[in-house]
Amino acid sequence: MSRNQHLNRLTLFVAVSLLVAMLSFSASAENIAGTVTDQTNSDPLSGATVSLASNSGASARVLQKTSMDGNYSFANVSPGNYTLIVTFVGFKNEIMSITVATGQDLNLNFDMVPSSVDVGAVSVTASRKQEKILDAPAAVSIVTSEQIEERAAFTPIEHIKALPSVDVSQIGISQSNVVMRGFNNIFSGAMLVMTDNRIARVPSLRFNAYNFMSTTNEDIERIELVSGPGSALYGPNASTGVLHFITKSPFDYQGTTVTVGGGEREIGMFSFRHAKMLSEKAAFKVTGQYMRGKDWNHKEPPLLEPLDRDFDMEKFSGEGRFDLRFENGASLIFNGGYNNINSIELTGIGAGQAVGWKYSYAQTRFNYKNLFVQAFVNISDAGDTYLLTNIDKQPLVDKSKLWVGQVQHSSALSDNSQLTYGVDAIFTRPNTEGTINGQNEEIDDIDEFGVYLQSDNRLSDKLKLVGAIRVDESNRLKETVYSPRAALVFQPNQTNTFRATYNRAYSTPDNNNLFLDFLQRSDPF
């Protein structure tokens, strides 16, 4: 695709966003300005995020950072009702509802109150159930929606780079390899990555391709990172930890958000989120994203006779979700997503030119009291992708699918003891049309089954004992695999926790380990 076509697409998206802004801020416009300071010493706070959102939901939220003097200003604001939100790391959020009248300029100052870390934050990833992070039997880090809104990010991985134990290697403007506790490589699959309880990796390759995620920044409610082995609850390939992206409910987060951005390397992006309640029992949301840019140049050694690389990256993605809530407290969720990308992707057999690589999913979830049931399918279609180090443009076909069904339930044995148990079934169905698996194409199915049980026991007000065991069977492993877990959690006060933990985790051989049969060069004779 030519650069002019890229620019035309980006221009169209910018024009649409400007039209939305014009419709929202038409008529006469006024000004809002002020200063953000630290309440303890009255010093100005530089870099605080100030956002202005119309209460009518008809316009996009406008964000800006305070200057070195702590000043902010919004010009050409139409009369109406607005919500002004000020956030800064280490300080409590300030929220103010305001009314802008015709011919009125507002001067609004904010004295920010310092705050400590929210030790009462709730995690659902460490134990596959809701619990405070201080009560969790593992180290949990949480990135909140407020923190996500403060950072302009090209991909969701930007939000976790500063978290403890995380190692991120940047391999492109939109590609990253992420692991915890080291051992990074091209296909890093030792960390389990999920979105709304759905395994989010590429099906047969077991590769955490974050640029293939269709989730937008505007739709992420929080990110949870559990450091350490997670196989006792999540099964194989969670040996270094679990990274969980949790999106916003259309019931709890309504309205329309539009974001336009750009930067170096010809980066341009446009994204939106729209959510609405149809009734007290039904709600839906749709999100979309377009981004483009020019990747860093690289040339292979002349002896490899490389093909010309296309350094232009382009991505389209979209998601939809429909929620139902019933009178008995049950909920039913249907959601799906689609992602289409053109870029250079690094693989274990060399760089590949991804041309129209599509990644999609469909998911259904049911919750009723302590019962959780879900089923989902991840679908990969590599399109016209080919290997770059082969002068013959050898195609890389991947039309693989991952089918998963999961059931989980919990019950209280007493006031101080609770059991959580469940069963997982995972079916990996590679389909490379002989280009990657070669002669193994007809024997490459992988079936995995697992059951788990976890017991939470409150020994005293300050002491908790957690024990778990998981049993997994795979048609590609000769022996049954056991994953035990034990943790003693001591909480002397409301702000400190000491943990002593033991976990055993494992990884299973992936499609490339078991079935790779790839033609590197044609026989010249």
Side-chain angles (χ1 to χ4, degrees):
M1 185 176 292
S2 67
R3 180 176 297 183
N4 288 336
Q5 289 175 310
H6 286 308
L7 293 176
N8 290 337
R9 284 186 174 181
L10 183 59
T11 301
L12 176 61
F13 281 117
V14 173
V16 172
S17 62
L18 291 177
L19 178 61
V20 173
M22 292 173 62
L23 292 174
S24 304
F25 293 95
S26 58
S28 60
E30 319 307 337
N31 302 312
I32 302 174
T35 304
V36 180
T37 57
D38 185 343
Q39 188 185 68
T40 59
N41 52 25
S42 298
D43 289 341
L45 293 178
S46 173
T49 301
V50 185
S51 65
L52 181 68
S54 172
N55 292 348
S56 66
S59 64
R61 175 177 291 184
V62 183
L63 298 173
Q64 67 168 254
K65 299 287 188 179
T66 55
S67 65
M68 294 296 295
D69 297 326
N71 297 325
Y72 73 92
S73 64
F74 296 97
N76 302 321
V77 180
S78 299
N81 297 320
Y82 295 86
T83 298
L84 197 62
I85 305 174
V86 183
T87 60
F88 194 70
V89 176
F91 291 82
K92 294 182 179 179
N93 296 345
E94 294 286 343
I95 303 175
M96 179 183 294
S97 297
I98 61 175
T99 299
V100 179
T102 303
Q104 179 187 28
D105 291 337
L106 297 179
N107 186 60
L108 303 173
N109 300 322
F110 293 89
D111 288 328
M112 303 289 285
V113 179
S115 65
S116 58
V117 177
D118 183 10
V119 296
V122 175
S123 166
V124 297
T125 307
S127 298
R128 293 184 76 157
K129 64 182 182 65
Q130 287 192 353
E131 63 184 344
K132 292 183 178 180
I133 59 174
L134 284 183
D135 292 336
V140 181
S141 300
I142 294 180
V143 182
T144 65
S145 59
E146 291 79 11
Q147 293 170 316
I148 293 170
E149 289 178 356
E150 291 174 359
R151 179 187 293 269
F154 201 49
T155 66
I157 293 304
E158 300 293 330
H159 302 299
I160 69 168
K161 285 185 174 181
L163 295 183
S165 74
V166 174
D167 177 40
V168 179
S169 62
Q170 193 80 26
I171 57 176
I173 58 174
S174 66
Q175 302 101 313
S176 300
N177 284 333
V178 184
V179 297
M180 284 183 282
R181 302 179 177 181
F183 305 104
N184 214 332
N185 54 53
I186 291 296
F187 278 179
S188 299
M191 180 177 67
L192 176 62
V193 178
M194 300 189 302
T195 301
D196 291 332
N197 296 290
R198 177 184 60 85
I199 299 172
R201 58 179 176 246
V202 179
S204 65
L205 301 178
R206 198 191 299 154
F207 172 43
N208 296 320
Y210 303 97
N211 54 331
F212 283 23
M213 294 176 60
S214 52
T215 303
T216 63
N217 285 311
E218 295 81 10
D219 195 37
I220 299 176
E221 180 182 8
R222 68 183 185 275
I223 304 172
E224 297 186 3
L225 182 70
V226 180
S227 178
S231 291
L233 294 181
Y234 292 100
N237 312 311
S239 56
T240 64
V242 181
L243 176 61
H244 194 181
F245 296 89
I246 301 172
T247 66
K248 297 176 179 178
S249 164
F251 281 102
D252 303 329
Y253 297 86
Q254 301 177 51
T256 303
T257 303
V258 178
T259 300
V260 179
E264 297 179 351
R265 308 213 60 80
E266 302 181 18
I267 288 177
M269 61 180 298
F270 171 88
S271 59
F272 73 91
R273 178 185 186 273
H274 176 71
K276 183 177 181 180
M277 283 182 59
L278 302 177
S279 67
E280 293 183 356
K281 299 180 181 179
F284 77 95
K285 69 176 180 182
V286 291
T287 65
Q289 185 179 64
Y290 169 78
M291 62 172 61
R292 68 168 305 275
K294 184 170 288 293
D295 228 319
W296 287 278
N297 292 348
H298 172 74
K299 296 295 183 182
E300 297 286 356
L303 293 178
L304 295 180
E305 300 179 342
L307 298 168
D308 291 334
R309 298 189 177 206
D310 182 1
F311 296 101
D312 289 335
M313 187 283 298
E314 187 176 38
K315 169 183 174 178
F316 296 90
S317 64
E319 286 187 335
R321 171 171 157 177
F322 182 70
D323 287 28
L324 292 172
R325 290 181 176 178
F326 304 98
E327 294 181 355
N328 61 359
S331 65
L332 184 61
I333 300 173
F334 303 94
N335 58 302
Y338 172 84
N339 186 83
N340 188 312
I341 192 167
N342 299 310
S343 65
I344 296 174
E345 299 295 330
L346 301 184
T347 74
I349 54 178
Q353 188 75 56
V355 182
W357 195 316
K358 305 170 186 63
Y359 179 83
S360 57
Y361 75 89
Q363 181 183 21
T364 301
R365 287 173 282 165
F366 175 77
N367 283 277
Y368 177 64
K369 296 183 178 179
N370 296 325
L371 175 65
F372 172 73
V373 182
Q374 77 163 350
F376 62 85
V377 57
N378 296 336
I379 304 171
S380 175
D381 182 353
D384 297 321
T385 299
Y386 56 89
L387 197 63
L388 278 166
T389 56
N390 191 318
I391 197 169
D392 297 325
K393 277 192 176 182
Q394 185 169 349
L396 294 177
V397 176
D398 179 33
K399 298 181 179 180
S400 306
K401 296 180 181 179
L402 179 73
W403 298 88
V404 178
Q406 297 175 319
V407 180
Q408 177 179 297
H409 188 261
S410 61
S411 59
L413 299 180
S414 66
D415 293 339
N416 297 317
S417 182
Q418 185 179 42
L419 288 180
T420 301
Y421 40 88
V423 57
D424 301 332
I426 303 175
F427 306 99
T428 305
R429 295 294 180 261
N431 180 7
T432 71
E433 296 185 356
T435 61
I436 299 176
N437 291 355
Q439 300 179 40
N440 300 318
E441 194 67 49
E442 302 301 323
I443 58 170
D444 54 4
D445 291 350
I446 301 176
D447 301 334
E448 298 169 287
F449 301 91
V451 294
Y452 59 90
L453 172 68
Q454 175 169 288
S455 175
D456 290 76
N457 304 279
R458 177 66 65 177
L459 304 180
S460 68
D461 293 339
K462 298 181 179 180
L463 193 62
K464 184 173 75 168
L465 176 64
V466 179
I469 183 67
R470 182 183 176 102
V471 181
D472 283 283
E473 290 277 358
S474 171
N475 67 332
R476 298 301 171 183
L477 298 178
K478 294 182 179 179
E479 298 180 355
T480 301
V481 180
Y482 300 91
S483 302
R485 177 191 199 185
L488 191 64
V489 182
F490 176 61
Q491 188 175 354
N493 52 54
Q494 294 298 316
T495 57
N496 294 281
T497 294
F498 297 93
R499 300 182 184 92
T501 63
Y502 168 81
N503 293 271
R504 180 185 176 189
Y506 77 104
S507 296
T508 56
D510 60 20
N511 178 81
N512 289 343
N513 299 138
L514 293 170
F515 309 114
L516 183 64
D517 182 17
F518 188 79
L519 179 64
Q520 286 287 69
R521 291 281 180 175
S522 300
D523 187 346
F525 302 102

